[in-house]
Amino acid sequence: MINKDFNSILELLKAFPDEQTCIDHLTELRWNSDVVSPFDYASKVYVCKGNKYRCKNTGKYFNARTETMFDNTKIPLQKWFLAIWLVTSHKKGISSVQLAKDIDVTQKSSWFMLQRIRNCFGIENNNQLDNEVEADETYIGGKNKNRHADKKVSNSQGRSLKDKAPVFGMVERNGKLNAKKVDDTKTTTLTSEIVQVVKDTATMYTDEYLGYNSLKRIYDHAFVKHNSGEYVNGRIHTNTIEGFWSLLKRGIIGIYHFTSKKHLQMYVDEFVFRYNTREHTESDRFNLLLANSTFRLTYKQLIK
């Protein structure tokens, strides 16, 4: 089943017509015929009836859903597979209201499903970068001029964090991208984020923001002067990362409308995942997420 391509919803439903085919596919992706207990990796595992297994060392029973995004869910796996397909294949995502209609669940359930799925997207947001790397920061939270008079925030222009959350991103040209919500855009914060994932052999391209001043001590660093109307100077530009900011903001404004600071990183991870898997087929992207679905998120943790 893993090697089977399904590049449309119709093909997906044909590949997974019932619960058992979904369970078989998830089992194969997770363990590849060598089942491992999530409670004790060294334990022997006994196969039981009803798609269950028993861990010898702990005596606990488990199945393919245990300790994954599907753990303790009453929603059929076929609906989960459809939800994963929709959120990974739609370029700008899908809202919980629309997903609820598409798979016939409540809006509350669809939102929880989407958040559980987003909780697994972070697997593509911690890549080591090299060669030519662009770095830039953006702010999520809307423009003050678009707010109603009673909701305007004073002195919130520019880089003010009163009503906006800063997100910092780095992208290797023709390669992977990382983006992360940060507390601020001070020099120490940005430099710390960069040195964690960008090799010192890389060439860094940024704008003229003072927060990047210390990079010249570590990297071959060049920048464009946006304030002077300069956006491209040979190979020196930040157009790649700015293109990603456009996708992120258009998705938030057009599909989600609003994201809280608490959950913002999950939405950022979602867009990073789709960007980094842009060369994948629909089925490869779908299987990649399923194979890395061992990140459980409970509703209590989500709303805490």
Side-chain angles (χ1 to χ4, degrees), residues 156-205:
S156 63
Q157 296 85 358
R159 298 177 184 275
S160 170
L161 303 183
K162 289 183 177 181
D163 59 339
K164 297 183 288 291
V167 179
F168 179 59
M170 298 160 281
V171 60
E172 180 178 333
R173 290 180 182 172
N174 300 314
K176 299 281 189 175
L177 180 146
N178 295 332
K180 182 179 179 181
K181 180 175 76 71
V182 290
D183 294 330
D184 54 64
T185 55
K186 296 177 181 178
T187 300
T188 53
T189 302
L190 299 186
T191 304
S192 175
E193 294 294 332
I194 291 172
V195 297
Q196 287 181 54
V197 298
V198 180
K199 297 181 180 179
D200 56 12
T201 53
T203 299
M204 293 294 305
Y205 298 126

Side-chain angles (χ1 to χ4, degrees), residues 198-301:
V198 180
K199 297 181 180 179
D200 56 12
T201 53
T203 299
M204 293 294 305
Y205 298 126
T206 68
D207 58 23
E208 74 275 34
Y209 175 48
L210 295 177
Y212 302 117
N213 278 358
S214 64
L215 294 183
K216 59 187 176 183
R217 303 172 187 171
I218 309 170
Y219 302 96
D220 179 8
H221 176 218
F223 58 88
V224 285
K225 300 178 181 178
H226 286 170
N227 288 336
S228 301
E230 180 186 64
Y231 294 93
V232 178
N233 183 0
R235 297 194 64 79
I236 307 171
H237 63 80
T238 57
N239 293 346
T240 312
I241 186 66
E242 287 172 5
F244 174 75
W245 294 146
S246 178
L247 285 174
L248 174 64
K249 290 184 177 181
R250 286 174 184 272
I252 291 176
I253 294 171
I255 303 297
Y256 303 124
H257 307 309
F258 170 80
T259 57
S260 66
K261 291 183 180 180
K262 174 183 176 181
H263 298 305
L264 176 58
Q265 185 60 53
M266 284 188 175
Y267 291 88
V268 173
D269 288 342
E270 174 188 337
F271 282 85
V272 170
F273 179 88
R274 276 196 294 267
Y275 181 90
N276 285 346
T277 58
R278 61 195 181 280
E279 302 296 335
H280 289 44
T281 64
E282 303 292 355
S283 55
D284 285 344
R285 188 184 298 113
F286 172 85
N287 284 327
L288 175 63
L289 186 65
L290 272 187
N292 293 276
S293 61
T294 53
F295 298 90
R296 187 189 178 195
L297 178 68
T298 66
Y299 192 77
K300 185 176 181 180
Q301 291 172 326

